[in-house]
Amino acid sequence: MMSQMPQLSACPSCEEPLESGDRFCGACGYDLSAVPAPPDDHPTLTMNGSAHPPEEAVDVDWPVVPQPEGAETPPTVHLPTDLPGTDSGGIPLPSNAPPPPTGSPLSPATGVRFDRPPEPDEYPLQAPDPRVAADPPTPAEGTKVCVACRSGRVDPDGYCENCGHAQPRERDHMEQELGPLAAVSDRGLRHHRNEDAFAVGQCLLPDGAPALVAVVCDGVSSATRPDAASLAASRKAGEALLAALPQGTHPQAAMHEAIIAASHAVNSLAEEPATAREHAPHQNAPACTLVGSIVTPTLLVVGWVGDSRAYWIPVDRSSPPARLTEDDSWAAQMVAAGLMSEAEAYADERAHAITGWLGADAYELEPHTASFKPDRPGVVVVCTDGLWNYAESAEEMAEVVPVDAAVRPLHSAQVLVGHALDGGGHDNVTVAVVPFPAPPQGAVNG
């Protein structure tokens, strides 16, 4: 029925103006009876959840607008002075404001001014805040500068003294290239901090042959201060290797002793005042895993405790790659005992429960070491499970390692970390890329 039809001022199809009572558009023939009735209005609520207007607004005695007698009669217009108002404090405003004087630039119907001065071509600039120096002093050389304002000094708590901006933590993303080897570590996409750490180095053996060292550690998240554990272990193991190898210690023996030294460094983190447990009774000893490699011109040595891994990837990809370590984990034990296949074990939710680690509460420290003499060039990939979770088998790892990894170690480590982040980045990611054989020190990468 016509009384039930929505009153439209323009055709919803072609926007042709409509007359009251039109049932079809005179321009395009659009059936106006097919236009749905306007939906019920559901206003957006304020943050306090109020669904009704204030009571004082509801009780206002709004004047009734008389309906026009015909289309030619304009509706009555109400001026602001027709209604009593209140100011922001609730005090009534005078209702009988004097009419504008004769010749006033106010329109008698709308109260709009028509005598506004022309807009200026330029506006004066606001005076500078005297509290802010025009040219902040340049920080002294060696001072850590804010990454946001580029001028403020960063205080010991990691905040800019000028703008207050919190600085990114140094360990969120770390990269290091040292001659022919490199390492990259990243916090990943899910963790609030990076609990991995690495150490890389190079030295000369007593006969003048070069030796490349890489150590990667993964903090145990369920332990207290895992980031401190991984940092202490990687640094101590790296220092021990670089001290022992030039003295003629066999690389495999040096690796064993380096793991022992790293263990002592992590154990020392558990030494705390007797009152510390009173304030944090649920703390446990810091812990981490460790995997390291030593590469010389003829020998490749790896050592590990936990489930961080080392892979061998030959330059000639027609040759098979290999995993050089065996996990200290529940899954590895199930496979070794013949109770599960490798695929079944690593699909289990208990797969990453480790059975060996560095820390004061470890059952018994059993460093694993192994020596290899590869007959062809390649690279050693030393990594945490944040990477190998996305390339578990040696074949999968070989597919994502760039073919020029031996001569572009930093780029290759970046690619591998990117592979883990693209896969989801559920864990911290750390990887070192070490070429075999170790090139002479001073050799330039191609």
Side-chain angles (χ1 to χ4, degrees):
M1 297 175 61
M2 193 175 303
S3 61
Q4 295 175 338
M5 290 175 54
Q7 298 300 312
L8 301 174
S9 59
C11 173
S13 176
C14 67
E15 300 185 356
E16 178 74 11
L18 300 175
E19 298 290 340
S20 176
D22 284 347
R23 302 183 64 180
F24 296 90
C25 175
C28 68
Y30 189 85
D31 184 359
L32 300 177
S33 65
V35 179
D40 294 336
D41 185 23
H42 297 285
T44 301
L45 303 181
T46 58
M47 289 298 293
N48 62 11
S50 174
H52 301 285
E55 292 185 1
E56 60 269 22
V58 175
D59 296 334
V60 172
D61 185 16
W62 298 98
V64 178
V65 180
Q67 296 297 322
E69 298 178 357
E72 303 299 328
T73 305
T76 303
V77 176
H78 289 290
L79 301 180
T81 54
D82 292 341
L83 295 175
T86 60
D87 62 15
S88 59
I91 301 174
L93 298 173
S95 58
N96 297 322
T102 305
S104 168
L106 290 178
S107 165
T110 64
V112 178
R113 298 186 65 94
F114 292 100
D115 66 336
R116 291 179 180 173
E119 296 289 339
D121 294 333
E122 296 182 358
Y123 289 89
L125 298 178
Q126 182 179 0
D129 189 341
R131 296 171 297 176
V132 180
D135 295 312
T138 302
E141 185 177 354
T143 302
K144 188 174 182 180
V145 178
C146 173
V147 300
C149 69
R150 302 288 183 181
S151 60
R153 188 178 73 88
V154 177
D155 65 20
D157 293 328
Y159 292 88
C160 176
E161 295 180 346
N162 178 48
C163 68
H165 190 91
Q167 306 300 295
R169 287 172 290 195
E170 182 180 359
R171 289 180 65 178
D172 282 357
H173 185 87
M174 301 178 291
E175 297 185 0
Q176 185 178 0
E177 185 174 31
L178 187 63
L181 74 162
V184 176
S185 182
D186 192 273
R187 185 183 68 182
L189 304 180
R190 303 295 181 89
H191 282 232
H192 70 285
R193 64 180 175 185
N194 190 358
E195 297 170 357
D196 288 357
F198 66 80
V200 293
Q202 56 182 341
C203 62
L204 293 177
L205 302 178
D207 61 358
L212 307 179
V213 170
V215 178
V216 168
C217 295
D218 183 357
V220 177
S221 296
S222 59
T224 301
R225 298 167 59 201
D227 53 333
S230 63
L231 185 62
S234 60
R235 285 181 174 176
K236 191 62 178 181
E239 292 170 358
L241 290 172
L242 295 176
L245 292 172
Q247 297 177 1
T249 306
H250 188 279
Q252 191 166 355
M255 179 64 74
H256 184 276
E257 293 304 316
I259 296 176
I260 298 293
S263 175
H264 292 327
V266 178
N267 291 350
S268 67
L269 298 176
E271 299 174 1
E272 53 190 7
T275 57
R277 297 282 179 174
E278 298 176 7
H279 303 288
H282 301 295
Q283 288 189 346
N284 50 16
C288 69
T289 68
L290 180 148
V291 60
S293 71
I294 303 171
V295 171
T296 75
T298 59
L299 189 66
L300 164 59
V301 173
V302 294
W304 73 96
V305 174
D307 63 349
S308 292
R309 295 180 176 181
Y311 291 84
W312 163 254
I313 311 297
V315 171
D316 180 4
R317 297 304 171 85
S318 63
S319 301
R323 198 175 93 195
L324 305 178
T325 58
E326 293 292 338
D327 299 343
D328 289 322
S329 68
W330 178 90
Q333 286 191 347
M334 294 298 102
V335 175
L339 300 177
M340 284 185 173
S341 68
E342 190 167 4
E344 293 172 338
Y346 282 99
D348 193 283
E349 61 182 8
R350 296 165 290 182
H352 289 275
I354 57 175
T355 57
W357 62 89
L358 303 182
D361 58 356
Y363 300 122
E364 183 178 354
L365 179 61
E366 295 183 2
H368 311 289
T369 61
S371 296
F372 305 89
K373 291 187 176 182
D375 61 354
R376 64 202 66 201
V379 294
V380 184
V381 174
V382 185
C383 65
T384 61
D385 61 349
L387 171 60
W388 67 252
N389 278 332
Y390 301 98
E392 198 278 327
S393 69
E395 290 74 20
E396 291 172 327
M397 186 65 72
E399 290 178 0
V400 295
V401 173
V403 294
D404 58 354
V407 294
R408 299 181 67 194
L410 179 58
H411 170 261
S412 300
Q414 293 167 339
V415 168
L416 292 172
V417 169
H419 175 76
L421 298 181
D422 291 343
H426 287 73
D427 200 354
N428 306 145
V429 190
T430 303
V431 56
V433 177
V434 188
F436 178 91
Q441 285 199 1
V444 179
N445 290 345

